mmCIF file of all heavy atoms in Angstrom:
data_model
loop_
_atom_site.group_PDB
_atom_site.id
_atom_site.type_symbol
_atom_site.label_atom_id
_atom_site.label_comp_id
_atom_site.label_asym_id
_atom_site.label_seq_id
_atom_site.Cartn_x
_atom_site.Cartn_y
_atom_site.Cartn_z
ATOM 1 N N LYS A 7 -7.973 17.331 3.283
ATOM 2 C CA LYS A 7 -8.742 16.518 2.350
ATOM 3 C C LYS A 7 -8.424 16.904 0.910
ATOM 4 O O LYS A 7 -8.370 18.053 0.552
ATOM 5 C CB LYS A 7 -10.222 16.719 2.626
ATOM 6 C CG LYS A 7 -11.119 15.780 1.852
ATOM 7 C CD LYS A 7 -12.554 15.887 2.293
ATOM 8 C CE LYS A 7 -13.437 14.905 1.557
ATOM 9 N NZ LYS A 7 -14.837 14.971 2.015
ATOM 10 N N ASN A 8 -8.185 15.881 0.122
ATOM 11 C CA ASN A 8 -7.948 16.043 -1.303
ATOM 12 C C ASN A 8 -9.126 15.490 -2.071
ATOM 13 O O ASN A 8 -9.379 14.286 -2.054
ATOM 14 C CB ASN A 8 -6.645 15.285 -1.693
ATOM 15 C CG ASN A 8 -6.283 15.531 -3.163
ATOM 16 O OD1 ASN A 8 -7.104 15.956 -3.970
ATOM 17 N ND2 ASN A 8 -5.019 15.240 -3.497
ATOM 18 N N GLU A 9 -9.927 16.358 -2.663
ATOM 19 C CA GLU A 9 -11.174 15.953 -3.290
ATOM 20 C C GLU A 9 -10.942 15.024 -4.488
ATOM 21 O O GLU A 9 -11.848 14.263 -4.875
ATOM 22 C CB GLU A 9 -11.936 17.214 -3.762
ATOM 23 C CG GLU A 9 -12.370 18.146 -2.660
ATOM 24 C CD GLU A 9 -13.470 17.544 -1.784
ATOM 25 O OE1 GLU A 9 -14.046 16.508 -2.155
ATOM 26 O OE2 GLU A 9 -13.720 18.109 -0.702
ATOM 27 N N THR A 10 -9.781 15.055 -5.071
ATOM 28 C CA THR A 10 -9.532 14.257 -6.264
ATOM 29 C C THR A 10 -8.603 13.059 -6.010
ATOM 30 O O THR A 10 -8.146 12.443 -6.955
ATOM 31 C CB THR A 10 -8.935 15.129 -7.383
ATOM 32 O OG1 THR A 10 -7.663 15.669 -6.906
ATOM 33 C CG2 THR A 10 -9.891 16.259 -7.753
ATOM 34 N N MET A 11 -8.317 12.772 -4.749
ATOM 35 C CA MET A 11 -7.393 11.665 -4.476
ATOM 36 C C MET A 11 -8.057 10.339 -4.846
ATOM 37 O O MET A 11 -9.236 10.091 -4.551
ATOM 38 C CB MET A 11 -6.988 11.640 -3.006
ATOM 39 C CG MET A 11 -6.103 10.446 -2.654
ATOM 40 S SD MET A 11 -5.470 10.456 -0.956
ATOM 41 C CE MET A 11 -4.040 11.548 -1.191
ATOM 42 N N TYR A 12 -7.264 9.524 -5.524
ATOM 43 C CA TYR A 12 -7.783 8.195 -5.893
ATOM 44 C C TYR A 12 -7.427 7.161 -4.839
ATOM 45 O O TYR A 12 -6.472 7.368 -4.071
ATOM 46 C CB TYR A 12 -7.156 7.774 -7.242
ATOM 47 C CG TYR A 12 -7.711 8.541 -8.419
ATOM 48 C CD1 TYR A 12 -7.178 9.770 -8.807
ATOM 49 C CD2 TYR A 12 -8.806 8.032 -9.117
ATOM 50 C CE1 TYR A 12 -7.694 10.483 -9.877
ATOM 51 C CE2 TYR A 12 -9.348 8.749 -10.207
ATOM 52 C CZ TYR A 12 -8.788 9.947 -10.583
ATOM 53 O OH TYR A 12 -9.314 10.663 -11.618
ATOM 54 N N PHE A 13 -8.205 6.101 -4.806
ATOM 55 C CA PHE A 13 -7.977 5.046 -3.815
ATOM 56 C C PHE A 13 -6.552 4.515 -3.901
ATOM 57 O O PHE A 13 -5.865 4.328 -2.913
ATOM 58 C CB PHE A 13 -8.984 3.921 -4.005
ATOM 59 C CG PHE A 13 -8.892 2.854 -2.967
ATOM 60 C CD1 PHE A 13 -9.728 2.875 -1.850
ATOM 61 C CD2 PHE A 13 -7.980 1.801 -3.053
ATOM 62 C CE1 PHE A 13 -9.632 1.926 -0.855
ATOM 63 C CE2 PHE A 13 -7.889 0.817 -2.087
ATOM 64 C CZ PHE A 13 -8.714 0.889 -0.992
ATOM 65 N N ASN A 14 -6.084 4.291 -5.149
ATOM 66 C CA ASN A 14 -4.760 3.738 -5.339
ATOM 67 C C ASN A 14 -3.640 4.683 -4.937
ATOM 68 O O ASN A 14 -2.514 4.287 -4.624
ATOM 69 C CB ASN A 14 -4.555 3.254 -6.771
ATOM 70 C CG ASN A 14 -5.247 1.902 -7.014
ATOM 71 O OD1 ASN A 14 -5.705 1.267 -6.104
ATOM 72 N ND2 ASN A 14 -5.321 1.514 -8.285
ATOM 73 N N ASP A 15 -3.914 6.002 -4.941
ATOM 74 C CA ASP A 15 -2.932 6.980 -4.436
ATOM 75 C C ASP A 15 -2.732 6.747 -2.932
ATOM 76 O O ASP A 15 -1.595 6.729 -2.450
ATOM 77 C CB ASP A 15 -3.395 8.407 -4.682
ATOM 78 C CG ASP A 15 -3.446 8.748 -6.171
ATOM 79 O OD1 ASP A 15 -2.706 8.130 -6.918
ATOM 80 O OD2 ASP A 15 -4.217 9.679 -6.512
ATOM 81 N N LEU A 16 -3.831 6.576 -2.220
ATOM 82 C CA LEU A 16 -3.764 6.315 -0.788
ATOM 83 C C LEU A 16 -3.147 4.939 -0.534
ATOM 84 O O LEU A 16 -2.424 4.763 0.454
ATOM 85 C CB LEU A 16 -5.159 6.397 -0.157
ATOM 86 C CG LEU A 16 -5.183 6.359 1.371
ATOM 87 C CD1 LEU A 16 -4.438 7.559 1.952
ATOM 88 C CD2 LEU A 16 -6.615 6.305 1.902
ATOM 89 N N LEU A 17 -3.433 3.982 -1.407
ATOM 90 C CA LEU A 17 -2.845 2.640 -1.291
ATOM 91 C C LEU A 17 -1.293 2.771 -1.325
ATOM 92 O O LEU A 17 -0.589 2.093 -0.548
ATOM 93 C CB LEU A 17 -3.357 1.736 -2.409
ATOM 94 C CG LEU A 17 -2.669 0.363 -2.536
ATOM 95 C CD1 LEU A 17 -2.803 -0.425 -1.282
ATOM 96 C CD2 LEU A 17 -3.272 -0.404 -3.739
ATOM 97 N N SER A 18 -0.774 3.574 -2.239
ATOM 98 C CA SER A 18 0.681 3.755 -2.360
ATOM 99 C C SER A 18 1.252 4.371 -1.085
ATOM 100 O O SER A 18 2.322 3.976 -0.615
ATOM 101 C CB SER A 18 0.991 4.638 -3.561
ATOM 102 O OG SER A 18 0.591 4.035 -4.773
ATOM 103 N N ILE A 19 0.554 5.342 -0.528
ATOM 104 C CA ILE A 19 0.982 5.965 0.714
ATOM 105 C C ILE A 19 0.982 4.950 1.843
ATOM 106 O O ILE A 19 1.923 4.855 2.669
ATOM 107 C CB ILE A 19 0.087 7.167 1.088
ATOM 108 C CG1 ILE A 19 0.200 8.257 0.004
ATOM 109 C CG2 ILE A 19 0.403 7.703 2.446
ATOM 110 C CD1 ILE A 19 -0.767 9.382 0.170
ATOM 111 N N TRP A 20 -0.086 4.162 1.912
ATOM 112 C CA TRP A 20 -0.201 3.134 2.958
ATOM 113 C C TRP A 20 0.944 2.122 2.847
ATOM 114 O O TRP A 20 1.537 1.721 3.828
ATOM 115 C CB TRP A 20 -1.558 2.435 2.850
ATOM 116 C CG TRP A 20 -1.817 1.402 3.896
ATOM 117 C CD1 TRP A 20 -2.271 1.573 5.146
ATOM 118 C CD2 TRP A 20 -1.538 -0.020 3.756
ATOM 119 N NE1 TRP A 20 -2.346 0.402 5.826
ATOM 120 C CE2 TRP A 20 -1.906 -0.614 5.001
ATOM 121 C CE3 TRP A 20 -1.058 -0.789 2.734
ATOM 122 C CZ2 TRP A 20 -1.775 -1.972 5.234
ATOM 123 C CZ3 TRP A 20 -0.924 -2.170 2.981
ATOM 124 C CH2 TRP A 20 -1.307 -2.752 4.172
ATOM 125 N N LEU A 21 1.231 1.678 1.621
ATOM 126 C CA LEU A 21 2.295 0.703 1.394
ATOM 127 C C LEU A 21 3.660 1.269 1.838
ATOM 128 O O LEU A 21 4.494 0.526 2.391
ATOM 129 C CB LEU A 21 2.367 0.270 -0.069
ATOM 130 C CG LEU A 21 1.302 -0.735 -0.530
ATOM 131 C CD1 LEU A 21 1.333 -0.889 -2.026
ATOM 132 C CD2 LEU A 21 1.515 -2.100 0.142
ATOM 133 N N GLU A 22 3.878 2.520 1.574
ATOM 134 C CA GLU A 22 5.138 3.141 1.980
ATOM 135 C C GLU A 22 5.278 3.164 3.498
ATOM 136 O O GLU A 22 6.356 2.930 4.057
ATOM 137 C CB GLU A 22 5.215 4.558 1.423
ATOM 138 C CG GLU A 22 6.588 5.197 1.593
ATOM 139 C CD GLU A 22 7.713 4.462 0.890
ATOM 140 O OE1 GLU A 22 7.461 3.838 -0.180
ATOM 141 O OE2 GLU A 22 8.834 4.465 1.423
ATOM 142 N N LYS A 23 4.192 3.420 4.195
ATOM 143 C CA LYS A 23 4.188 3.370 5.667
ATOM 144 C C LYS A 23 4.496 1.969 6.159
ATOM 145 O O LYS A 23 5.258 1.782 7.117
ATOM 146 C CB LYS A 23 2.836 3.833 6.216
ATOM 147 C CG LYS A 23 2.583 5.361 6.082
ATOM 148 C CD LYS A 23 1.229 5.711 6.648
ATOM 149 C CE LYS A 23 0.993 7.217 6.612
ATOM 150 N NZ LYS A 23 1.869 7.918 7.584
ATOM 151 N N GLN A 24 3.917 0.924 5.454
ATOM 152 C CA GLN A 24 4.161 -0.466 5.868
ATOM 153 C C GLN A 24 5.636 -0.845 5.607
ATOM 154 O O GLN A 24 6.214 -1.608 6.402
ATOM 155 C CB GLN A 24 3.238 -1.412 5.123
ATOM 156 C CG GLN A 24 1.756 -1.105 5.294
ATOM 157 C CD GLN A 24 1.346 -0.979 6.747
ATOM 158 O OE1 GLN A 24 1.650 -1.847 7.554
ATOM 159 N NE2 GLN A 24 0.706 0.138 7.078
ATOM 160 N N LYS A 25 6.230 -0.296 4.581
ATOM 161 C CA LYS A 25 7.597 -0.597 4.240
ATOM 162 C C LYS A 25 8.534 -0.124 5.330
ATOM 163 O O LYS A 25 9.554 -0.744 5.637
ATOM 164 C CB LYS A 25 7.978 0.091 2.926
ATOM 165 C CG LYS A 25 9.336 -0.283 2.400
ATOM 166 C CD LYS A 25 9.591 0.358 1.042
ATOM 167 C CE LYS A 25 10.923 -0.035 0.465
ATOM 168 N NZ LYS A 25 11.183 0.601 -0.850
ATOM 169 N N GLN A 26 8.166 1.016 5.971
ATOM 170 C CA GLN A 26 8.987 1.571 7.031
ATOM 171 C C GLN A 26 8.746 0.860 8.372
ATOM 172 O O GLN A 26 9.663 0.796 9.203
ATOM 173 C CB GLN A 26 8.674 3.076 7.172
ATOM 174 C CG GLN A 26 8.908 3.911 5.928
ATOM 175 C CD GLN A 26 10.320 3.828 5.415
ATOM 176 O OE1 GLN A 26 11.281 3.794 6.208
ATOM 177 N NE2 GLN A 26 10.505 3.806 4.101
ATOM 178 N N ALA A 27 7.530 0.375 8.548
ATOM 179 C CA ALA A 27 7.156 -0.149 9.871
ATOM 180 C C ALA A 27 7.223 -1.660 9.988
ATOM 181 O O ALA A 27 7.311 -2.189 11.134
ATOM 182 C CB ALA A 27 5.752 0.328 10.237
ATOM 183 N N ARG A 28 7.185 -2.374 8.888
ATOM 184 C CA ARG A 28 7.069 -3.840 8.947
ATOM 185 C C ARG A 28 8.394 -4.488 8.519
ATOM 186 O O ARG A 28 9.242 -3.895 7.901
ATOM 187 C CB ARG A 28 5.966 -4.315 8.018
ATOM 188 C CG ARG A 28 4.614 -3.680 8.298
ATOM 189 C CD ARG A 28 3.891 -4.310 9.443
ATOM 190 N NE ARG A 28 2.575 -3.745 9.657
ATOM 191 C CZ ARG A 28 1.723 -4.158 10.565
ATOM 192 N NH1 ARG A 28 2.053 -5.140 11.378
ATOM 193 N NH2 ARG A 28 0.534 -3.587 10.713
ATOM 194 N N ALA A 29 8.453 -5.786 8.851
ATOM 195 C CA ALA A 29 9.578 -6.607 8.358
ATOM 196 C C ALA A 29 9.486 -6.724 6.839
ATOM 197 O O ALA A 29 8.366 -6.618 6.273
ATOM 198 C CB ALA A 29 9.557 -7.964 8.981
ATOM 199 N N LEU A 30 10.606 -6.916 6.169
ATOM 200 C CA LEU A 30 10.620 -6.959 4.730
ATOM 201 C C LEU A 30 9.673 -8.034 4.185
ATOM 202 O O LEU A 30 8.962 -7.809 3.214
ATOM 203 C CB LEU A 30 12.032 -7.206 4.215
ATOM 204 C CG LEU A 30 12.217 -7.304 2.686
ATOM 205 C CD1 LEU A 30 11.770 -6.016 2.027
ATOM 206 C CD2 LEU A 30 13.667 -7.632 2.338
ATOM 207 N N SER A 31 9.684 -9.196 4.820
ATOM 208 C CA SER A 31 8.844 -10.300 4.339
ATOM 209 C C SER A 31 7.343 -9.942 4.441
ATOM 210 O O SER A 31 6.575 -10.282 3.548
ATOM 211 C CB SER A 31 9.097 -11.571 5.160
ATOM 212 O OG SER A 31 8.853 -11.357 6.538
ATOM 213 N N THR A 32 6.994 -9.215 5.495
ATOM 214 C CA THR A 32 5.591 -8.794 5.662
ATOM 215 C C THR A 32 5.237 -7.769 4.598
ATOM 216 O O THR A 32 4.175 -7.822 3.965
ATOM 217 C CB THR A 32 5.344 -8.221 7.038
ATOM 218 O OG1 THR A 32 5.695 -9.192 8.022
ATOM 219 C CG2 THR A 32 3.882 -7.781 7.218
ATOM 220 N N TYR A 33 6.131 -6.819 4.366
ATOM 221 C CA TYR A 33 5.862 -5.799 3.351
ATOM 222 C C TYR A 33 5.727 -6.407 1.956
ATOM 223 O O TYR A 33 4.820 -6.058 1.192
ATOM 224 C CB TYR A 33 7.000 -4.747 3.312
ATOM 225 C CG TYR A 33 6.973 -3.867 2.122
ATOM 226 C CD1 TYR A 33 6.024 -2.841 2.005
ATOM 227 C CD2 TYR A 33 7.862 -4.063 1.063
ATOM 228 C CE1 TYR A 33 5.967 -2.047 0.879
ATOM 229 C CE2 TYR A 33 7.799 -3.268 -0.067
ATOM 230 C CZ TYR A 33 6.866 -2.249 -0.156
ATOM 231 O OH TYR A 33 6.790 -1.453 -1.259
ATOM 232 N N VAL A 34 6.581 -7.365 1.639
ATOM 233 C CA VAL A 34 6.516 -8.043 0.318
ATOM 234 C C VAL A 34 5.192 -8.749 0.174
ATOM 235 O O VAL A 34 4.573 -8.708 -0.913
ATOM 236 C CB VAL A 34 7.705 -9.027 0.156
ATOM 237 C CG1 VAL A 34 7.489 -9.870 -1.086
ATOM 238 C CG2 VAL A 34 9.002 -8.253 0.049
ATOM 239 N N LYS A 35 4.726 -9.393 1.212
ATOM 240 C CA LYS A 35 3.444 -10.065 1.171
ATOM 241 C C LYS A 35 2.302 -9.064 0.925
ATOM 242 O O LYS A 35 1.428 -9.246 0.068
ATOM 243 C CB LYS A 35 3.191 -10.822 2.470
ATOM 244 C CG LYS A 35 1.801 -11.483 2.565
ATOM 245 C CD LYS A 35 1.600 -12.130 3.910
ATOM 246 C CE LYS A 35 0.192 -12.729 4.021
ATOM 247 N NZ LYS A 35 -0.041 -13.326 5.372
ATOM 248 N N TYR A 36 2.307 -7.938 1.672
ATOM 249 C CA TYR A 36 1.287 -6.924 1.526
ATOM 250 C C TYR A 36 1.322 -6.341 0.123
ATOM 251 O O TYR A 36 0.301 -6.102 -0.501
ATOM 252 C CB TYR A 36 1.470 -5.806 2.556
ATOM 253 C CG TYR A 36 1.126 -6.165 3.967
ATOM 254 C CD1 TYR A 36 1.340 -5.253 5.024
ATOM 255 C CD2 TYR A 36 0.624 -7.432 4.288
ATOM 256 C CE1 TYR A 36 1.013 -5.588 6.336
ATOM 257 C CE2 TYR A 36 0.305 -7.758 5.594
ATOM 258 C CZ TYR A 36 0.522 -6.844 6.614
ATOM 259 O OH TYR A 36 0.185 -7.151 7.930
ATOM 260 N N ARG A 37 2.522 -6.090 -0.379
ATOM 261 C CA ARG A 37 2.684 -5.519 -1.701
ATOM 262 C C ARG A 37 2.116 -6.419 -2.770
ATOM 263 O O ARG A 37 1.449 -5.989 -3.707
ATOM 264 C CB ARG A 37 4.181 -5.259 -1.978
ATOM 265 C CG ARG A 37 4.443 -4.616 -3.325
ATOM 266 C CD ARG A 37 4.284 -3.127 -3.238
ATOM 267 N NE ARG A 37 4.126 -2.535 -4.543
ATOM 268 C CZ ARG A 37 4.427 -1.254 -4.762
ATOM 269 N NH1 ARG A 37 4.858 -0.479 -3.822
ATOM 270 N NH2 ARG A 37 4.240 -0.732 -5.966
ATOM 271 N N HIS A 38 2.396 -7.736 -2.617
ATOM 272 C CA HIS A 38 1.873 -8.704 -3.595
ATOM 273 C C HIS A 38 0.352 -8.723 -3.602
ATOM 274 O O HIS A 38 -0.284 -8.707 -4.682
ATOM 275 C CB HIS A 38 2.410 -10.103 -3.248
ATOM 276 C CG HIS A 38 1.725 -11.197 -4.012
ATOM 277 N ND1 HIS A 38 1.967 -11.426 -5.351
ATOM 278 C CD2 HIS A 38 0.813 -12.122 -3.610
ATOM 279 C CE1 HIS A 38 1.227 -12.444 -5.760
ATOM 280 N NE2 HIS A 38 0.518 -12.890 -4.737
ATOM 281 N N LEU A 39 -0.263 -8.757 -2.425
ATOM 282 C CA LEU A 39 -1.729 -8.781 -2.326
ATOM 283 C C LEU A 39 -2.323 -7.491 -2.887
ATOM 284 O O LEU A 39 -3.361 -7.533 -3.571
ATOM 285 C CB LEU A 39 -2.168 -9.006 -0.869
ATOM 286 C CG LEU A 39 -1.808 -10.371 -0.248
ATOM 287 C CD1 LEU A 39 -2.211 -10.390 1.207
ATOM 288 C CD2 LEU A 39 -2.460 -11.474 -1.012
ATOM 289 N N ALA A 40 -1.667 -6.366 -2.587
ATOM 290 C CA ALA A 40 -2.164 -5.082 -3.098
ATOM 291 C C ALA A 40 -2.084 -5.000 -4.617
ATOM 292 O O ALA A 40 -3.056 -4.606 -5.271
ATOM 293 C CB ALA A 40 -1.365 -3.934 -2.463
ATOM 294 N N ASP A 41 -0.966 -5.431 -5.173
ATOM 295 C CA ASP A 41 -0.772 -5.354 -6.618
ATOM 296 C C ASP A 41 -1.674 -6.350 -7.367
ATOM 297 O O ASP A 41 -2.162 -6.058 -8.464
ATOM 298 C CB ASP A 41 0.678 -5.624 -7.007
ATOM 299 C CG ASP A 41 1.590 -4.500 -6.564
ATOM 300 O OD1 ASP A 41 1.104 -3.411 -6.263
ATOM 301 O OD2 ASP A 41 2.835 -4.717 -6.557
ATOM 302 N N ARG A 42 -1.914 -7.492 -6.721
ATOM 303 C CA ARG A 42 -2.650 -8.562 -7.415
ATOM 304 C C ARG A 42 -4.139 -8.402 -7.283
ATOM 305 O O ARG A 42 -4.904 -8.673 -8.264
ATOM 306 C CB ARG A 42 -2.197 -9.919 -6.822
ATOM 307 C CG ARG A 42 -2.858 -11.151 -7.470
ATOM 308 C CD ARG A 42 -2.137 -11.525 -8.751
ATOM 309 N NE ARG A 42 -2.772 -12.684 -9.361
ATOM 310 C CZ ARG A 42 -2.407 -13.929 -9.106
ATOM 311 N NH1 ARG A 42 -1.429 -14.184 -8.257
ATOM 312 N NH2 ARG A 42 -2.999 -14.928 -9.714
ATOM 313 N N TYR A 43 -4.640 -7.995 -6.142
ATOM 314 C CA TYR A 43 -6.065 -8.023 -5.892
ATOM 315 C C TYR A 43 -6.707 -6.680 -5.558
ATOM 316 O O TYR A 43 -7.896 -6.463 -5.922
ATOM 317 C CB TYR A 43 -6.372 -8.988 -4.740
ATOM 318 C CG TYR A 43 -5.845 -10.384 -4.955
ATOM 319 C CD1 TYR A 43 -4.707 -10.832 -4.280
ATOM 320 C CD2 TYR A 43 -6.458 -11.230 -5.876
ATOM 321 C CE1 TYR A 43 -4.222 -12.116 -4.508
ATOM 322 C CE2 TYR A 43 -5.978 -12.518 -6.102
ATOM 323 C CZ TYR A 43 -4.831 -12.950 -5.393
ATOM 324 O OH TYR A 43 -4.350 -14.200 -5.634
#
């Protein structure tokens, strides 16, 4: 547990996992929604 971790830090980690596990088109869609909303 990291007491000072920010939500967006975890968001970046999550996106990196999706980049490795998902098709490029799916990752690009997730990245767009994450960055925009």
Side-chain angles (χ1 to χ4, degrees):
K7 188 172 183 178
N8 184 342
E9 297 290 349
T10 61
M11 177 174 277
Y12 287 88
F13 185 94
N14 282 350
D15 293 336
L16 189 63
L17 171 59
S18 297
I19 296 172
W20 182 86
L21 282 171
E22 189 60 32
K23 288 179 176 290
Q24 303 309 308
K25 186 177 182 180
Q26 302 301 323
R28 306 281 184 176
L30 179 60
S31 58
T32 302
Y33 167 74
V34 170
K35 175 184 178 182
Y36 288 176
R37 181 84 197 203
H38 169 73
L39 294 176
D41 290 345
R42 183 81 181 270
Y43 303 105

